[in-house]
Amino acid sequence: MLLAVFLLTVVTGPSSAVALIPRLDWWDHTNPYPEGPERAFMRYRASDLWPTSITKDLIHPGCADTESPDAEYCPYSGYKMVSEWIGAHQNQGQTPNLTIPSHGGVTRHLASTFNNTKSAGWTIASTVGYKEAWDLGAFWQYVVGQNRSLAQPSRPRIAPTFLDASQIRKPVVQVECAAHYSWSPLDFELPHQLLTDPDDLFSNTEPWSIQASTIRSQAGFHNLFPNVTIGEQVHTQQLPTAFTWIDTSWLVNGPSIGAVFAINTPNGSIALMPCSVAAYWTPTSIFLDPKSELVIQEDNSNPLEDILLWQRLSIASDWAATMNPKFTNDNGLETTYIQHMMERYNNNSSSPVVFSEPGHGQESIPWRISTALGLYLTEALARVQSTFWNGTVLCHTNATGQENVYILGNLNANDPQWWPEDMSFTDYAQEKGWAELKFTVRRYGYGWGFRGLPTKLAAFVLGLQALLGLIHIGFITVGGWSAKSWSTMGEMLILAINSTPSGRLQGTAAGVQRERIWGEAVKIREMRDQHLELVLDGGLPPEREVGLRPRKGQRYL
């Protein structure tokens, strides 16, 4: 007990110092909207935001024209950015991390794994949704444009969340490709050795076989099926890269969609490359730290850590086909977006297209194909919501109760009023069942709180010290163990000299050799009329104590 009290006394001082030192961290903003509440409504239900069946019905009407102003809402909108990244970083061996512009000067990251194993054709890519990034950037633009108090803290952090606790999600896309240099024209199998699924669906023995006849009639593939025998390499003249999507809906536990490439290789042969695509929605927590950098960030950007929360997607071929519109390249030849993207891997665009890499053989082809396809498809899925999005609405209620309604991206309030005049906007939005967003705010600076192990340990020590103090006060108050008569060591010494010697202290005249002596309980008792002495009774119970307890108000000699 003495050791525990001693240690507690030793650590109390440092614990006090730890508790008093402020911590540099993010802290909740107690009143981020003093001018009045800001309520944001997406003009559709939360259940419609992330559909698990991706079909052509989700495509914006303007996507029929690749030059349309509405093209940013289309599946092929990320083509230029991914294609340019391939052209600039094709042989640098860098982890794919593209910066995608959004509204209000805000950007987001489109990232993919980098697989150093050249023979493995698996990659996984993810990005924050186009719509969420747009809303967050537009909200910050509104805060600055309307000169709201939120723009004043030195470093605010703004995070959108749903009021009904629904989770914001983002696309995660796995792609696994395999290269067949000696192949049969009869059939082949979509690879799935490395694909990951939360329900472990891909570990079953169901074959993902595709008959070659399903792609023989596709553009660019009919010349690739001469009369060859199994195991014989296909040698032919250099041909344009060929590509087609494969519908896998007939597979019970198959991928979201499949794809097949035909690629020219360094040795002059044609590589047939089947790819499996497994796409999911996964929860994410995003925020904007605008005073630091205008980049959408995530609390956890690794999608594999939340794998049990993935929602599996099925992707229809008609939706995927819109990712691959035709166009005429600089040489006047007709090609498609995906074919042209893959051909950019060539070192010299004026030479015959050969999918190669300096210092490496053709074993690097699968993971490079999967990386490019994964990035492009992930960006397409990030814009799925945008195909039917018509703007998020922000309702600001001022001190007089007047509602000012803004469409994010447009700083003109109530221009024009498009909801019924006999209803408040918030009532109208709730009647429609629109998803309500809440922009929670934190600020960066010094503060105090129970964060971190040192602070929690310090709080525990100080609490324990305070508890012991309260217990001691309670004993003194209830038991009456208090007096001011012996406030100095000298007064206690005189009382000891005036006391009758105790037989329990025999053998201590020339020093204390036995440790037991220091454990003796010492009490002050009335031994004869008006005379007090120190008494050692060996811890006897009250009924057997020697002498009487001092009486309150009694005068002693």
Side-chain angles (χ1 to χ4, degrees):
M1 182 65 180
L2 289 176
L3 179 60
V5 173
F6 172 76
L7 292 176
L8 182 63
T9 304
V10 170
V11 299
T12 297
S15 298
S16 300
V18 170
L20 289 173
I21 296 174
R23 181 186 181 95
L24 186 62
D25 205 344
W26 292 103
W27 304 95
D28 291 337
H29 199 312
T30 55
N31 185 23
Y33 306 114
E35 297 90 353
E38 311 280 2
R39 302 181 67 179
F41 294 89
M42 294 182 170
R43 287 191 274 183
Y44 36 79
R45 298 177 184 273
S47 58
D48 298 330
L49 290 173
W50 294 281
T52 55
S53 182
I54 310 301
T55 66
K56 197 172 183 179
D57 295 336
L58 300 176
I59 298 174
H60 193 283
C63 295
D65 179 9
T66 57
E67 302 299 325
S68 167
D70 294 324
E72 62 178 308
Y73 307 143
C74 302
Y76 54 75
S77 302
Y79 158 74
K80 184 176 180 181
M81 289 169 283
V82 176
S83 182
E84 288 179 350
W85 181 88
I86 291 173
H89 301 88
Q90 55 181 333
N91 296 317
Q92 295 182 12
Q94 297 181 353
T95 301
N97 193 351
L98 287 68
T99 299
I100 309 296
S102 190
H103 192 72
V106 170
T107 60
R108 58 188 170 89
H109 291 303
L110 170 61
S112 174
T113 57
F114 177 77
N115 196 330
N116 287 310
T117 305
K118 302 300 183 181
S119 59
W122 175 88
T123 57
I124 182 170
S126 66
T127 185
V128 173
Y130 173 89
K131 176 68 178 61
E132 291 74 42
W134 201 100
D135 281 347
L136 198 46
F139 179 72
W140 177 246
Q141 185 186 52
Y142 160 81
V143 167
V144 175
Q146 297 296 318
N147 197 27
R148 300 297 190 213
S149 298
L150 180 56
Q152 303 309 316
S154 57
R155 193 176 171 187
R157 166 176 160 160
I158 307 170
T161 57
F162 284 109
L163 201 63
D164 64 356
S166 298
Q167 293 177 305
I168 292 176
R169 295 183 174 271
K170 68 174 183 178
V172 172
V173 176
Q174 298 179 82
V175 180
E176 183 178 351
C177 296
H180 296 276
Y181 306 102
S182 301
W183 45 278
S184 164
L186 301 178
D187 54 39
F188 57 90
E189 187 170 313
L190 294 174
H192 55 290
Q193 306 301 316
L194 303 173
L195 294 181
T196 302
D197 184 82
D199 298 320
D200 201 24
L201 296 178
F202 303 151
S203 62
N204 63 77
T205 57
E206 179 186 18
W208 291 3
S209 299
I210 303 295
Q211 291 189 350
S213 59
T214 61
I215 63 169
R216 185 191 301 272
S217 60
Q218 300 294 325
F221 283 91
H222 56 279
N223 292 327
L224 301 181
F225 292 91
N227 294 321
V228 296
T229 58
I230 297 177
E232 181 181 347
Q233 281 196 325
V234 180
H235 292 270
T236 181
Q237 70 276 14
Q238 295 291 344
L239 296 172
T241 299
F243 170 80
T244 187
W245 293 107
I246 299 293
D247 180 15
T248 59
S249 59
W250 59 274
L251 290 168
V252 177
N253 293 319
S256 302
I257 197 170
V260 179
F261 291 87
I263 303 291
N264 292 290
T265 63
N267 66 3
S269 67
I270 300 295
L272 189 68
M273 307 203 56
C275 299
S276 298
V277 176
Y280 304 84
W281 297 124
T282 187
T284 185
S285 298
I286 64 174
F287 65 91
L288 182 65
D289 180 8
K291 296 295 184 71
S292 176
E293 56 180 351
L294 291 173
V295 178
I296 304 296
Q297 301 179 59
E298 300 177 72
D299 289 328
N300 178 19
S301 58
N302 182 3
L304 288 173
E305 291 190 10
D306 295 321
I307 186 171
L308 295 180
L309 301 177
W310 287 4
Q311 289 183 349
R312 194 157 172 252
L313 306 183
S314 62
I315 300 176
S317 298
D318 55 1
W319 179 87
T322 60
M323 294 176 58
N324 197 31
K326 295 180 180 179
F327 78 104
T328 303
N329 63 20
D330 296 338
N331 297 325
L333 300 176
E334 186 178 86
T335 184
T336 67
Y337 277 15
I338 294 179
Q339 289 171 246
H340 184 255
M341 187 187 304
M342 299 306 173
E343 289 172 353
R344 293 205 68 174
Y345 268 127
N346 181 33
N347 295 326
N348 185 351
S349 59
S350 63
S351 67
V353 178
V354 176
F355 204 100
S356 61
E357 178 185 5
H360 299 282
Q362 58 194 28
E363 72 276 4
S364 67
I365 298 176
W367 66 263
R368 302 181 74 184
I369 287 283
S370 63
T371 296
L373 186 60
L375 289 171
Y376 188 33
L377 186 53
T378 301
E379 181 61 21
L381 289 172
R383 297 173 187 260
V384 163
Q385 309 166 31
S386 309
T387 59
F388 54 92
W389 168 57
N390 51 4
T392 294
V393 183
L394 187 73
C395 181
H396 168 75
T397 305
N398 61 25
T400 65
Q402 178 187 356
E403 289 184 337
N404 293 311
V405 179
Y406 304 82
I407 296 178
L408 285 181
N410 178 6
L411 298 182
N412 296 318
N414 307 327
D415 183 25
Q417 179 169 336
W418 40 268
W419 64 96
E421 294 185 3
D422 60 344
M423 294 182 69
S424 68
F425 173 76
T426 52
D427 289 342
Y428 176 71
Q430 290 173 346
E431 183 182 272
K432 289 285 189 180
W434 290 343
E436 183 172 355
L437 274 179
K438 177 183 178 183
F439 292 98
T440 58
V441 182
R442 309 180 82 184
R443 59 192 306 175
Y444 193 71
Y446 287 98
W448 289 267
F450 292 99
R451 299 181 185 176
L453 183 60
T455 302
K456 293 177 180 178
L457 287 176
F460 173 76
V461 169
L462 295 175
L464 187 58
Q465 181 79 353
L467 178 63
L468 291 177
L470 290 174
I471 293 173
H472 177 70
I473 293 173
F475 271 114
I476 291 176
T477 303
V478 176
W481 294 0
S482 63
K484 298 181 180 178
S485 300
W486 305 280
S487 57
T488 65
M489 289 297 296
E491 292 173 326
M492 290 296 296
L493 178 61
I494 291 174
L495 178 63
I497 293 172
N498 283 328
S499 300
T500 302
S502 171
R504 299 184 66 82
L505 296 181
Q506 290 294 329
T508 61
V512 180
Q513 301 297 324
R514 288 175 294 176
E515 195 173 305
R516 177 188 61 80
I517 297 298
W518 300 112
E520 290 285 348
V522 180
K523 301 176 182 178
I524 299 176
R525 290 290 182 266
E526 180 180 340
M527 300 304 294
R528 54 187 182 273
D529 290 343
Q530 298 181 336
H531 187 77
L532 299 176
E533 295 184 11
L534 290 178
V535 175
L536 279 71
D537 61 8
L540 294 175
E543 63 272 12
R544 298 179 59 190
E545 285 185 351
V546 178
L548 302 175
R549 294 190 180 190
R551 290 168 288 173
K552 185 177 181 180
Q554 174 67 38
R555 186 178 181 85
Y556 292 99
L557 299 177

